[in-house]
Structures are given as structure tokens and as C-alpha cells.
């Protein structure tokens, strides 16, 4: 069987690694990198660390407005499909690259396989929500990470081709957490961090907050971004932020002062795993990091009004906070009772790559 797979942004690289390994044992995969993420520490580092095969095509789309970015990708992906004529198109997650891949294939009647189907925040202002709803509605095989995702699709009338395979990000975490520990334990993580400000001696195991902020809904709202950094300033432990380029730009534009906050460049996957498992708490607006924190049993505060990953909220492993300085402070200061609670296996068995592969092969020439 021959698939064309679309990758473009960090979370997709992480999901692709275990699947490509399993699928390629007996099948052909043509990898297309859209170039949505292009900086070395946003892209190349993941390919190197996770052993992702070299892309067969790189569209080099770069940055741009949603329409420009998605439109450019659509045009190029169509050309690639017509040249490769695959049996299916595989797309991951909810980025502009996901939608472009799904749309290009669907219009050419190539079956669309969506990994991480069925997630919903029910916030239509999020570009990710638009991307995932649209992608699900033109997909032929909808591979869901959780039962909640299966139920969400059913509510929209989508039941055909829906399978709960478990979450492929769990596969990647399980395969790499020991590797990460061996590389970064015993203080080696501190040598790896190129601090841009702040004091290294303030960072001790389980005595810092690890924060990531990159969602447009937070970075592009001056008030929200200021509220977030005002909360960071008041926190009782230092805050470490691997800084997304978008957020870096906004901080400079708004002249936000970094008090109690130390920034580093976006971290590779293995370092990020270590920083996450080692943190007292993760504070984030990322979707993927909420789950990685959960898998690594690190409590998380999510700086959003809703989450697609509602399972992580159970027993307080993850808490939502409105973007108001005092509310954020109150949320991160609550006691961590979650640490006493076991986690039910709501994200599958860590073999999602295998289940996804089986589901695709079983359906062979997926009905369109
Ligand atoms: C994208 C996804 C988001 C995902 C995130 C993971 C969409 C709509 N959003 O958001 O779902 O969670 O990736 O990180 O697809 N930039 C660089 N270098 C890079 C990449 C980006 O400097 O390698 C800067 C550019 O200024 C760019 C901005 O970051 O305009 C935003 O990048 P973009 O890919 O549009 O969206 P993300 O915020 O990364």
C-alpha cells in the first residue's frame, strides 16, 4: 500500500515518528513536509532525534496568513498527489498543513485518513478547531485517540470509518522517556539550556514551572499576554519558557518585562520530555503538552477556557485557568492532590502506531 503523509508543524513530527517506523516495514510512504515550521529547532531537531525519515518533498511554504499558507500548500500537494497517485492520504492533527492535505486529497477522490480525529474544543475562533472539524468531515478513515473523540464524531453524525486506536503521542513518550532521562539526568539538562536571561542556580528539579505560550488567541491579545506574564512574575518558583518565535515577537513588540521568567530557544523533543517530567508543574496553552505532562505525571495548568483533552482534567491532573493574572496564580497554587490518584488508561495502550497501521491496511482501498 502506498500513502502520502503530510507533515508541517512540531506536533505532527512527534506523531509521525512511531507510525512511519511501523508502516514502512511492509508498505510505501511518501513524506511531504509543507515547511510550515522551518527553523531548525522547530523542525530538523525532531527528525534527527526521533529518526523520522527524510521527507520526499519539501514545499517550503513558510509563514503567512492562514489563507495564503493553506492555499499555497493546497496547490503543491495537489501536484504531488497527481504525480504519486497514492492509495491514501494521511494527515495528523489540526494545523493548516492538516487541512491542506485533506482537502487536496479529497478533491482528487483519494481516501483521507485522519489521525487524531474527533477532537473538539467547540471554540470556532481557534484555527485548529476549524481545521479539525473540516478535516473530519472529508475524511474516510477517522482514527481517534480517545473514546471522547469517537463520541464527538457521533454527535456530528460521523460513525462510518471511525476507530479508537489510542493516542499516538503516548507511543512517542513511552519510547523516548528513558532515552531522555539518560541524556539529561544528573544536572546534564542545565548544561543543555542556553539561558537568555535569568539565573541558572534558581532551577532545581521539581522546583520550577515549565511554561509554553504560542496560541494565537493568547499571543495576539495584548491584554491576555500581559496578564500571563504578570502572573509569571508573581509565582513562587521560577518560570522556564522555551519560547515560540511568534511569542518572542509579541513580547518584544509589547515590551513585556521578563521578571521571574527565563527564556530559552524552542527545545527539541528529548529535552522537552525531560523538562516536563522534571517540572513542578507545566503551564501551557498547547494541546500536545497538556497530554505529555499527563503521561509523565506532571500536573498541568492550561491557559485556556476549554480543552480538547478533557480526560486530563480528571482528578485535577490538568486544570483550566481563565487568562487573568490573579486566576492563574490561584490555579497554580492549589495543592497537588492529583499526585495521589492513579491514571486510568484512557489514551490507549501505547501501541497506537500498530493499531493505526492495522486499521489502514484492513480497509485497504478505503471507500470514498
Ligand atoms: C501551528 C499550528 C498549531 C500548533 C503549532 C505547534 C496552525 C493554524 N497552527 O501554530 O495548531 O499547535 O503550530 O507549534 O496550523 N515561525 C518561525 N519559525 C518557524 C515557524 C513559525 O519563526 O519555524 C513564526 C512565524 O512568525 C510564523 C509564526 O511563528 O508566522 C506562527 O507560525 P505558524 O506555523 O503559522 O503557527 P504556529 O503558531 O506555530
Amino acid at each position: 500500500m502506498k500513502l502520502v503523509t503530510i507533515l508541517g508543524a512540531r506536533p505532527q513530527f512527534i506523531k509521525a515518528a512511531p507510525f512511519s517506523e511501523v508502516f514502512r516495514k511492509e508498505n510505501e510512504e511518501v513524506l511531504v513536509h509543507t515547511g510550515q515550521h522551518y527553523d531548525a529547532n522547530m523542525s530538523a531537531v525532531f527528525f534527527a532525534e526521533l529518526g523520522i525519515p527524510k521527507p520526499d518533498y519539501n514545499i517550503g511554504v513558510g509563514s503567512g496568513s492562514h489563507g495564503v499558507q493553506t492555499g499555497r500548500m493546497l496547490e503543491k500537494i495537489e501536484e504531488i498527489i497527481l504525480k504519486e497517485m497514492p492509495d491514501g492520504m494521511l494527515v495528523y492533527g489540526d494545523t493548516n498543513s492538516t487541512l491542506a492535505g485533506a482537502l487536496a486529497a479529497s478533491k482528487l477522490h483519494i481516501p483521507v485518513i485522519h489521525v487524531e480525529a474527533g477532537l473538539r474544543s467547540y471554540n470556532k475562533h481557534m484555527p485548529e478547531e476549524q481545521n479539525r472539524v473540516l478535516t473530519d468531515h472529508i475524511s474516510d478513515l477517522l482514527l481517534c485517540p480517545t473514546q471522547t473523540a469517537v463520541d464527538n464524531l457521533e454527535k456530528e453524525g460521523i460513525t462510518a470509518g471511525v476507530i479508537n486506536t489510542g493516542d499516538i503521542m503516548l507511543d512517542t513518550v513511552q519510547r523516548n522517556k528513558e532515552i531522555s532521562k539518560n541524556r539529561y539526568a544528573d544536572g546534564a539538562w542545565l548544561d543543555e539550556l542556553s539561558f537568555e536571561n535569568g539565573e541558572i542556580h534558581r532551577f532545581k528539579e521539581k522546583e520550577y514551572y515549565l511554561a509554553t505560550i504560542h496560541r494565537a488567541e493568547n499571543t495576539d491579545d495584548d491584554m491576555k499576554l500581559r496578564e500571563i506574564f504578570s502572573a509569571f512574575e508573581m509565582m513562587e518558583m521560577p518560570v522556564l519558557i522555551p519560547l515560540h518565535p511568534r511569542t518572542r515577537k509579541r513580547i518584544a513588540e509589547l515590551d513585556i518585562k521578563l521578571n521571574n521568567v527565563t527564556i530559552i530557544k524552542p527545545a527539541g523533543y528529548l529535552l522537552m520530555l525531560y523538562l516536563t517530567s522534571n517540572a513542578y508543574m507545566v503551564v501551557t496553552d498547547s494541546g500536545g503538552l497538556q497530554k505529555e505532562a499527563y503521561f509523565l505525571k506532571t500536573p498541568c495548568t492550561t491557559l485556556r477556557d476549554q480543552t480538547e483533552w478533557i480526560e486530563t482534567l480528571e482528578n485535577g491532573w490538568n486544570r483550566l485557568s481563565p487568562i487573568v493574572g490573579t486566576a492563574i496564580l490561584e490555579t497554580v497554587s492549589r495543592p497537588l492532590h492529583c499526585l495521589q490518584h492513579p491514571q486510568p488508561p484512557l489514551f490507549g495502550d501505547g501501541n497506537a502506531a500498530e493499531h493505526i497501521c492495522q486499521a489502514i491496511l484492513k480497509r485497504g482501498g478505503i471507500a470514498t
Side-chain angles (χ1 to χ4, degrees):
M1 184 174 198
K2 177 175 174 180
L3 289 182
V4 166
T5 298
I6 303 293
L7 302 181
R10 286 190 291 180
Q12 288 157 342
F13 309 142
I14 295 168
K15 288 164 201 153
F19 174 78
S20 289
E21 191 188 322
V22 174
F23 184 75
R24 285 175 182 235
K25 283 183 189 154
E26 293 180 15
N27 301 280
E28 189 185 347
E29 183 183 40
V30 176
L31 213 51
V32 178
H33 191 323
T34 62
Q36 181 173 348
H37 283 177
Y38 46 87
D39 288 346
N41 54 2
M42 303 277 284
S43 174
V45 65
F46 294 90
F47 281 77
E49 288 187 348
L50 298 173
I52 304 166
K54 193 172 172 305
D56 300 280
Y57 297 89
N58 195 324
I59 295 176
V61 68
S63 305
S65 67
H66 291 281
V68 165
Q69 206 177 45
T70 313
R72 283 191 186 139
M73 292 192 262
L74 186 62
E75 190 180 342
K76 295 287 178 201
I77 294 170
E78 184 176 68
E79 283 170 21
I80 295 168
I81 296 174
L82 289 171
K83 188 162 164 228
E84 298 287 345
M85 289 314 287
D87 302 305
M89 160 66 73
L90 181 78
V91 294
Y92 293 99
D94 55 16
T95 70
N96 291 342
S97 301
T98 312
L99 179 63
L103 201 50
S106 175
K107 286 192 178 280
L108 292 171
H109 307 296
I110 299 292
V112 178
I113 303 157
H114 186 200
V115 172
E116 210 177 72
L119 294 194
R120 296 292 181 267
S121 65
Y122 299 105
N123 174 358
K124 279 198 181 153
H125 288 287
M126 287 173 71
E128 292 81 8
E129 183 76 355
Q130 300 163 355
N131 291 338
R132 54 173 94 99
V133 171
L134 294 169
T135 300
D136 282 341
H137 282 260
I138 52 173
S139 290
D140 300 276
L141 191 54
L142 298 102
L143 304 173
C144 299
T146 59
Q147 184 56 38
T148 309
V150 173
D151 298 342
N152 290 342
L153 290 174
E154 195 179 349
K155 282 182 216 150
E156 292 171 25
I158 305 176
T159 51
V162 176
I163 300 173
N164 182 353
T165 57
D167 194 315
I168 196 159
M169 283 182 76
L170 179 58
D171 297 28
T172 317
V173 167
Q174 288 186 349
R175 287 169 192 216
N176 289 287
K177 69 180 177 195
E178 280 309 305
I179 301 173
S180 150
K181 199 167 152 196
N182 291 337
R183 186 180 291 188
Y184 292 116
D186 301 326
W189 62 291
L190 288 170
D191 299 335
E192 188 70 18
L193 303 179
S194 35
F195 283 74
E196 297 188 22
N197 66 323
E199 298 155 284
I200 190 163
H201 73 265
R202 295 190 66 208
F203 287 88
K204 304 202 171 73
E205 309 231 339
K206 292 285 169 194
E207 290 182 24
Y208 63 92
Y209 291 98
L210 176 68
T212 74
I213 311 293
H214 79 278
R215 292 271 173 190
E217 68 205 73
N218 288 332
T219 57
D220 297 359
D221 183 321
D222 298 5
M223 183 104 95
K224 282 188 177 175
L225 202 58
R226 286 189 196 283
E227 287 287 321
I228 291 170
F229 279 87
S230 76
F232 288 166
E233 183 175 347
M234 306 295 291
M235 286 185 188
E236 283 186 5
M237 286 176 234
V239 181
L240 183 66
I241 308 191
L243 202 58
H244 188 288
R246 174 211 289 282
T247 320
R248 180 182 294 272
K249 210 166 119 209
R250 296 292 297 140
I251 288 176
E253 280 167 7
L254 296 179
D255 196 22
I256 290 177
K257 298 284 174 276
L258 300 173
N259 294 320
N260 196 37
V261 169
T262 291
I263 59 173
I264 56 171
K265 287 200 278 293
Y269 185 72
L270 294 175
L271 179 58
M272 200 59 191
L273 274 191
Y274 195 78
L275 295 177
T276 304
S277 56
N278 211 17
Y280 168 76
M281 181 182 279
V282 163
V283 183
T284 189
D285 59 7
S286 150
L289 190 56
Q290 293 171 49
K291 263 187 311 171
E292 284 163 342
Y294 182 82
F295 298 153
L296 295 165
K297 301 193 167 51
T298 298
C300 179
T301 291
T302 297
L303 302 179
R304 286 171 49 191
D305 297 330
Q306 67 287 112
T307 176
E308 304 79 64
W309 303 106
I310 56 171
E311 295 80 2
T312 59
L313 299 176
E314 229 167 88
N315 297 320
W317 281 100
N318 186 11
R319 308 152 172 183
L320 301 177
S321 173
I323 315 293
V324 176
T326 47
I328 298 171
L329 269 182
E330 188 277 319
T331 312
V332 302
S333 309
R334 273 187 243 149
L336 304 180
H337 297 307
C338 57
L339 296 173
Q340 274 84 56
H341 288 280
Q343 297 178 337
L346 299 172
F347 291 91
D349 60 6
N351 283 313
E354 192 66 49
H355 302 313
I356 290 168
C357 191
Q358 290 310 322
I360 294 172
L361 295 177
K362 203 163 148 195
R363 286 181 67 95
I366 306 154
T368 51

